[in-house]
Amino acid sequence: MPSIIELRQVSFSYPGKPVLQEVNFHVHPGEFLAVVGPNGGGKTTLLKLMLGLLKPSQGQVLVLKQAPLKVRNNIGYLPQQIHLDPSFPITVLDLVLMGCLGTKFSRAEKMQAARQSLKWVGLVELEERKVFDLSGGQIKRALIARALVARPQILFLDEPAANLDPRAERGFFDLLAGINQRGITILVVSHDLSFVSPYVQRVVCVNNSVVVHPVGDMAPEVISHLYGQPMRPILHHLTDKCC
């Protein structure tokens, strides 16, 4: 099977601080992956390398067989920190249309794409609502719609479930599963192990080095080695109680 993302012998260092060393892995089209590891282990750095926001100190990063910045319109991105001015009266539709910047869509095509994205995330009836009148979970959905509006083949999300309650988090991952079923490759970064096992196919474990495991191989000893202390995953949808 061809790869949609490839990292070959990739290392990265900030001045005086090695972060990632000799990373090798690939992602197949249509996969749903969780990128997990402790804070400071290099997860966000790895994501930025795949986005082309950082250049590796050595090695090669390929997305759709090209340098990431050459295919940026094929990549949707939800960063960890979103800075929106609550005093600015932007509507949900306006927010989503911002994702069309850099595309060659006509005005009519932009409107059609934005409304289709809002339909995918269940917000089409709220397109004229002010963004800050929405709940936290609805704002996340609107930001997902913005990331999808240019019709990317890949969606990166950095800590997307932060600040969501358990019910909203479960709904959010249900949403991502539906997007993945449309053929969009998804990589979700998280510092914990609250990944959704029925949806995630492989887990990319990052702690300066990178090891990729099928979900079924995430034994407690693997997790403990990654985090340096005993930990267990929380398997959503299997129980409403923490395990």
Side-chain angles (χ1 to χ4, degrees), residues 57-176:
S57 306
Q58 67 178 43
Q60 188 176 31
V61 179
L62 295 174
V63 177
L64 296 167
K65 301 189 181 301
Q66 300 186 65
L69 289 179
K70 291 185 177 181
V71 293
R72 59 183 179 273
N73 285 339
N74 285 299
I75 302 172
Y77 176 41
L78 180 62
Q80 183 174 354
Q81 299 293 331
I82 303 292
H83 300 288
L84 297 173
D85 184 353
S87 68
F88 188 67
I90 188 172
T91 67
V92 172
L93 182 61
D94 290 335
L95 176 67
V96 176
L97 285 169
M98 291 169 62
C100 292
L101 294 173
T103 70
K104 296 181 179 180
F105 291 174
S106 67
R107 174 66 179 173
E109 288 171 334
K110 289 178 181 178
M111 294 298 291
Q112 181 180 8
R115 290 193 168 112
Q116 183 61 59
S117 293
L118 285 169
K119 184 177 180 181
W120 284 359
V121 302
L123 294 181
V124 69
E125 295 180 356
L126 301 180
E127 67 174 49
E128 295 302 325
R129 186 81 61 87
K130 297 295 188 294
V131 169
F132 288 97
D133 289 339
L134 303 181
S135 68
Q138 288 172 328
I139 290 175
K140 292 275 188 179
R141 287 173 177 260
L143 291 167
I144 290 289
R146 183 180 71 172
L148 293 173
V149 71
R151 298 295 177 263
Q153 296 181 49
I154 304 165
L155 180 61
F156 291 119
L157 305 101
D158 193 356
E159 303 285 0
N163 303 318
L164 295 182
D165 62 46
R167 182 185 296 274
E169 183 178 343
R170 287 194 294 270
F172 188 77
F173 277 102
D174 287 341
L175 169 64
L176 293 182

Side-chain angles (χ1 to χ4, degrees), residues 3-104:
S3 298
I4 197 169
I5 301 171
E6 294 181 71
L7 280 78
R8 303 173 180 170
Q9 291 295 113
V10 170
S11 296
F12 181 84
S13 298
Y14 292 107
K17 181 183 178 183
V19 179
L20 295 170
Q21 298 180 13
E22 297 183 359
V23 173
N24 291 281
F25 76 94
H26 61 272
V27 178
H28 297 306
E31 281 198 284
F32 192 148
L33 280 75
V35 181
V36 303
N39 289 329
K43 302 182 306 298
T44 297
T45 297
L46 179 66
L47 189 62
K48 288 182 177 179
L49 288 164
M50 291 187 284
L51 287 162
L53 301 177
L54 295 173
K55 292 184 178 181
S57 306
Q58 67 178 43
Q60 188 176 31
V61 179
L62 295 174
V63 177
L64 296 167
K65 301 189 181 301
Q66 300 186 65
L69 289 179
K70 291 185 177 181
V71 293
R72 59 183 179 273
N73 285 339
N74 285 299
I75 302 172
Y77 176 41
L78 180 62
Q80 183 174 354
Q81 299 293 331
I82 303 292
H83 300 288
L84 297 173
D85 184 353
S87 68
F88 188 67
I90 188 172
T91 67
V92 172
L93 182 61
D94 290 335
L95 176 67
V96 176
L97 285 169
M98 291 169 62
C100 292
L101 294 173
T103 70
K104 296 181 179 180

